[in-house]
Amino acid sequence: MSIKYMLFNLLGKLNPRFLIFIEKQMKNIPGVSQKIEGEYAEVMVELEKSVKPYKNKYDSFTQIPAIGRDYADILRDMESMREQEESHWKDGFISGAVYHGDQRHIDFLNQVYAINSQSNPLHADVWPSANKFEAEIVAMTANMLGGAGQDVCGTLSSGGTESILLAMKTYRDWAREKKGITKPEMIVPVTAHAAFDKASQYFNIKTIHIPVDENFRADVNAAKKAITKNTIVMVGSAPSFPHGAIDPIVELSELAHQHGIGFHTDACLGGFVLPWAEKLGYPVPSFDFRLPGVTSMSADTHKYGYAAKGTSVVLYRGQELRHFQYYTSTEWPGGLYFSPTFAGSRPGALSAACWASLTSIGAQGYLSATKKILETASAIKQGVNEIPELRVLGDPLFVIAFASESLDIYKVLDTMSHKKWSLNGLHKPTCVHLCVTLRHTQPGVAERFLADLREAVAHVKAHPKEKGAMAPVYGMAATLPMRGMVSDLLKKYLDVIFKA
Ligand SMILES: *Cc1c(COP(=O)(O)O)cnc(C)c1O
C-alpha cells in the first residue's frame, strides 16, 4: 500500500461529524484541543502499523549498539528489505520515481559511487575531480537547454526542490539589491511544483497564483494582470508535474522580459526529455534559453538524466544572477567560507555518478531512451482514450493524467492498487496520472497497464455502489474545507515517519 494511500486512509478514519465540528471554529473552546489530540492519537496508532512493516522483523536501534554489528549482518538485512521492495518499482508498477533502473546502469553508477565515496566538493583542493564533474555537468546541461554560445551558467544542487528554492532566493536577493524591492512577489501557475510554494514560505516571497486553461497551460492574460511593481519573477513549467502540460513559455517569458522581471522555466521533469523529443521531431514548444526572456531554469539529472537520486542543475542567464545564489562569509573564525548552494559539505560521489550517467549515456542514448518513452507514452495515451469512460487531460507527451465523467476515478485508482499499481491521485481537478519512465518501456508493461486499467474501469462500472477502501477518502481529502487540519495531519504523519 502506498504512503499516499495511507495518508488518505488516515483522513478517512476521522469521523465526518467530528470534522464538521472542527470546521465550526471551535478549536479554542477548552477541552476541544484534547479531543482533537485524542482523535489524532487513535488514527496515528493505525497509521504507524502500516508505515512500519519491518517493525519486529529486523533488529532495530534507538541507541548506538554498544558493540558494532557485523558488516555481514547489516548487509543481509538490507538485501532482505531490498528484495521485498524491488519488484514494485523494477517491474514498472510505479508512476515516475525510478527513471532508468536497468541493472547494468545501476551497477555502473554503484561502481562510480564506490570510487568516489569520500569525495566532498566543498574541498576543491582535495577533490578537484568533484569540481571537474560538477562544472561539466552544468556546462553539458546548459548546452542541451539552448545555452550554447550564450552566457548561461549554474550550479549543481541536491534535487529539483533545491534548484527551485535556490533560484527563488536568488531572485529575491537580486531584486532587493538591484530594484529595492522589499516586498517581493512571484507569479506562479497553480500547476507549478509545490517547491515554489515552499520557496515562498521559506524566503518570504508572496505567491500570486495564476490559473490554467482547459489544456492545463498557464493563463497568459492572468499573468499579465498579476504583474505589480513588486514582481520579481514569473514561473512556467516544461512540463508540469500534475498533467504534463508545457506552459506557454514563449508568451510568458516575453511578458517577463518586457517588464524587466525574471523568468524561471521549471524543466525539472522535462529538461532531459524535451530537447531530445524536439530532435526526434515531436512538437515541442520553445521553453529554454533560446528564448531571450528565460533567465533561469531547473533540470533534474536525477530524473530523466538517469543519475542516482540527489542531483539537479539550476541555471542562470549571466554570472551576475548566479552571484546572488552564492553564500560567502569573510568574518567567521573558521576562516574564509563560501558555498554555492544551501549545503556545506556535499556528496561528491553523487556528482561523479551524475557525470558518469550523462557521459555514458550520451546524446544517442538519450535520444533512444526518449524515443522509447514517448512511443510508450503515446500508446498508453491512446489506450486510455480508447476506454470510453476515461479521458486524457490536455495533450501530454509523457505524463498521462486522466479523468472520468461517469466514474469515480479514485475508485479506479483503488482497483488499480489492488493490481499492484502505484499511480498518483491528484485533485483540483480530480484525476490520476502515470509518469512514463524507461521502466514502462520494458516489453509488456504498457499492455499490462492498459489491460489492468480496462479491467479496473469495468469493475468500477459493474460495482458502482461498492465502497472502495480509499476512494471516498481521496475525494474527501480533496474537498475537505479545513485545510489547516489537513495540514496538521500531514505534519503528524511526518512525525510518525521519523519515529524509530
Ligand atoms: C520532480 C519535480 C520537481 C521537484 O523535484 P524533486 O527532485 O523531487 O525535489 C519540480 N518540478 C517538477 C515539474 C517536477 O516534476
Side-chain angles (χ1 to χ4, degrees):
M1 192 186 265
S2 89
I3 281 174
K4 267 169 255 173
Y5 265 51
M6 291 165 198
L7 192 61
F8 285 120
N9 188 13
L10 168 73
L11 288 165
K13 292 217 167 95
L14 294 169
N15 178 341
R17 291 186 51 196
F18 164 72
L19 295 174
I20 292 160
F21 177 60
I22 297 303
E23 191 179 12
K24 288 181 180 159
Q25 306 280 320
M26 297 176 81
K27 221 173 165 176
N28 297 326
I29 296 172
V32 169
S33 69
Q34 286 99 305
K35 169 89 179 132
I36 294 172
E37 290 306 319
E39 292 268 343
Y40 281 157
E42 241 173 79
V43 287
M44 285 302 156
V45 170
E46 282 231 13
L47 178 77
E48 198 175 331
K49 274 189 232 153
S50 49
V51 297
K52 308 278 176 186
Y54 300 136
K55 199 139 197 165
N56 305 323
K57 292 198 180 137
Y58 299 94
D59 290 343
S60 59
F61 303 89
T62 53
Q63 284 189 39
I64 292 174
I67 296 168
R69 303 176 72 200
D70 282 347
Y71 286 177
D73 290 349
I74 293 173
L75 292 171
R76 185 202 56 225
D77 283 0
M78 286 183 177
E79 293 283 1
S80 156
M81 285 182 249
R82 179 181 67 175
E83 253 163 51
Q84 294 170 67
E85 295 168 0
E86 193 169 63
S87 94
H88 199 190
W89 59 264
K90 207 157 200 179
D91 297 340
F93 284 104
I94 304 204
S95 172
V98 177
Y99 293 77
H100 194 296
D102 281 2
Q103 197 56 50
R104 255 190 91 228
H105 187 62
I106 296 173
D107 290 343
F108 170 62
L109 295 185
N110 290 347
Q111 234 178 319
V112 170
Y113 190 98
I115 293 170
N116 296 279
S117 75
Q118 301 309 301
S119 160
N120 181 355
L122 188 66
H123 303 286
D125 51 341
V126 187
W127 289 285
S129 56
N131 298 115
K132 166 190 157 68
F133 299 144
E134 297 197 343
E136 292 179 16
I137 293 163
V138 170
M140 287 188 276
T141 308
N143 273 313
M144 179 187 66
L145 294 173
Q150 305 195 65
D151 181 19
V152 174
C153 57
T155 71
L156 219 64
S157 79
S158 62
T161 299
E162 191 185 1
S163 289
I164 289 167
L165 293 176
L166 286 166
M168 297 305 111
K169 183 210 86 83
T170 296
Y171 285 113
R172 183 197 66 177
D173 294 353
W174 164 78
R176 188 164 48 202
E177 184 166 314
K178 295 288 169 181
K179 301 173 142 198
I181 294 175
T182 54
K183 292 196 166 90
E185 297 175 4
M186 55 191 201
I187 298 173
V188 183
V190 290
T191 48
H193 196 273
F196 290 97
D197 191 57
K198 201 173 194 178
S200 154
Q201 289 193 31
Y202 281 8
F203 307 130
N204 266 316
I205 306 168
K206 187 174 171 194
T207 304
I208 311 292
H209 272 131
I210 54 168
V212 291
D213 65 15
E214 67 282 1
N215 287 313
F216 302 92
R217 302 168 76 232
D219 179 336
V220 178
N221 270 327
K224 198 171 187 171
K225 286 193 197 123
I227 296 173
T228 73
K229 64 179 189 351
N230 287 323
T231 309
I232 59 168
V233 62
M234 195 183 281
V235 171
S237 308
S240 68
F241 170 83
H243 317 106
I246 302 173
D247 284 324
I249 310 281
V250 175
E251 293 84 350
L252 292 173
S253 66
E254 183 53 35
L255 196 56
H257 197 48
Q258 283 164 8
H259 287 81
I261 59 183
F263 186 88
H264 183 89
T265 300
D266 178 17
C268 277
L269 197 53
F272 284 83
V273 175
L274 299 183
W276 313 111
E278 187 186 335
K279 286 195 167 66
L280 290 166
Y282 282 85
V284 177
S286 302
F287 69 100
D288 62 18
F289 285 108
R290 286 171 290 180
L291 297 172
V294 171
T295 51
S296 62
M297 292 186 74
S298 42
D300 285 356
T301 39
H302 72 190
K303 287 182 181 158
Y304 293 97
Y306 309 126
K309 276 287 177 284
T311 61
S312 167
V313 175
V314 57
L315 297 169
Y316 298 100
R317 185 183 293 284
Q319 309 273 336
E320 185 193 69
L321 205 46
R322 180 168 63 172
H323 277 195
F324 287 98
Q325 179 182 301
Y326 293 161
Y327 172 78
T328 61
S329 170
T330 55
E331 305 310 314
W332 184 40
L336 293 178
Y337 183 93
F338 49 99
S339 67
T341 62
F342 296 130
S345 291
R346 290 184 298 116
L350 289 181
S351 304
C354 177
W355 185 88
S357 183
L358 265 54
T359 54
S360 67
I361 289 172
Q364 260 189 4
Y366 282 109
L367 274 173
S368 74
T370 304
K371 186 164 184 287
K372 281 200 263 181
I373 287 169
L374 295 181
E375 282 170 0
T376 302
S378 168
I380 289 176
K381 190 163 70 170
Q382 195 186 334
V384 172
N385 268 331
E386 278 166 7
I387 302 173
E389 292 81 8
L390 301 183
R391 178 175 59 88
V392 170
L393 301 184
D395 188 19
L397 279 173
F398 61 94
V399 183
I400 319 295
F402 51 93
S404 177
E405 251 92 77
S406 55
L407 300 175
D408 181 344
I409 198 71
Y410 294 144
K411 284 190 183 173
V412 176
L413 177 66
D414 235 5
T415 313
M416 285 298 274
S417 78
H418 298 143
K419 299 174 187 286
K420 207 172 164 180
W421 289 94
S422 284
L423 308 177
N424 286 312
L426 318 178
H427 58 201
K428 305 176 177 212
T430 300
C431 61
V432 168
H433 90 197
L434 174 73
C435 176
V436 179
T437 71
L438 278 175
R439 296 289 83 212
H440 305 111
T441 69
Q442 299 176 94
V445 175
E447 290 79 4
R448 185 180 62 205
F449 172 75
L450 289 170
D452 286 347
L453 187 59
R454 281 190 292 267
E455 271 182 33
V457 164
H459 179 88
V460 173
K461 207 174 164 190
H463 305 86
K465 292 259 151 61
E466 185 181 86
K467 264 197 157 182
M470 301 303 149
V473 179
Y474 258 96
M476 194 180 80
T479 54
L480 212 60
M482 299 141 292
R483 308 319 282 174
M485 185 164 153
V486 175
S487 167
D488 281 353
L489 274 168
L490 297 178
K491 286 174 186 170
K492 299 241 175 217
Y493 171 78
L494 287 174
D495 290 341
V496 170
I497 293 282
F498 274 95
K499 209 166 150 193

